[in-house]
Amino acid sequence: MSVQLYLNDVHRSFDGFKAINGLSLAIDKGELRAVIGPNGAGKTTMMDIITGKTRPDTGEVFWNGTVDLTKVDEAGSARLGIGRKFQKPTVIESLTVEENIAISLKDDRSVFGTLLNRQSAEQAGRVTELLDLVRLTADRRRSAADLSHGQKQWLEIGMLLAQEPELLLVDEPAAGMTDDETMRTAELLRSLAGSHTVVVVEHDMEFVRALDCKVTVLHQGAVLAEGSLDHVSANPQVVEVYLGR
Ligand code: ADP
């Protein structure tokens, strides 16, 4: 398997505070990876660096082996195929579920097509496919405002997938979800791995267990432990800084 995302000895300080302090990470193409760590561990800053929102002070960040992500801004990283889902859903509540997907399709003519109710058969097929993937087919004509919190999160994942990213960075998708929604979300993200690289930043341990993937524990801006959840959970330092809290 080839490495899709590579961070080597990355540093980033804010007013002398080392938010990222020697972070090295390699994520394979098609991998599902959970990144956990206590508040302030540097998870958000890590995602900001990967997406070009923040530039590292020093260190390497490479995409697909050769593309230097330290030189790429947010729009550029999206064009490269890096998709980010923030914690709070930002679906357009005045539109239906399927319209939200349709306006997000990569081909930007679809915005006008959707608004004029004139979509190509190809676009309509893609919308159907994405609705199915995020399990919202039965709700496609409902207003996005009427969805549950969990369904809004899935819709937003569908909107992100409509942009055809290679990598999805997903920030605490299970926050505020019911147990059932949490498990369904884990299932959805697992189903995306393979065809996509998926990095999930998460606090909820039950959710991380359900993801059933390699886990990276961040602490003070660097990797403290890496491996299966059972492996990292058995690490006394991890217990001390995170799991034992
Ligand atoms: P996490 O997402 O793991 O909670 P963050 O990456 O948000 O951690 O933050 C790491 C540390 O860096 C925090 O102590 C935070 O206050 C600090 N930090 C992050 N971004 C900024 C910023 N733009 N300006 C100043 N300090 C920041």
Side-chain angles (χ1 to χ4, degrees), residues 219 224 234-243:
H219 177 53
L224 179 65
N235 180 321
Q237 280 177 293
V238 173
V239 174
E240 192 180 328
V241 305
Y242 186 63
L243 299 168

Side-chain angles (χ1 to χ4, degrees), residues 14-15 17 19 37-46:
F14 297 101
D15 303 322
F17 178 82
N39 275 336
K43 303 181 296 295
T44 306
T45 309
M46 175 195 79

Side-chain angles (χ1 to χ4, degrees), residues 12 14-15 17-20 37-48 54 201 203 218:
R12 177 66 161 102
F14 297 101
D15 303 322
F17 178 82
K18 294 175 177 173
I20 296 292
N39 275 336
K43 303 181 296 295
T44 306
T45 309
M46 175 195 79
M47 288 192 285
D48 288 348
T54 297
V201 168
H203 277 291
L218 282 196

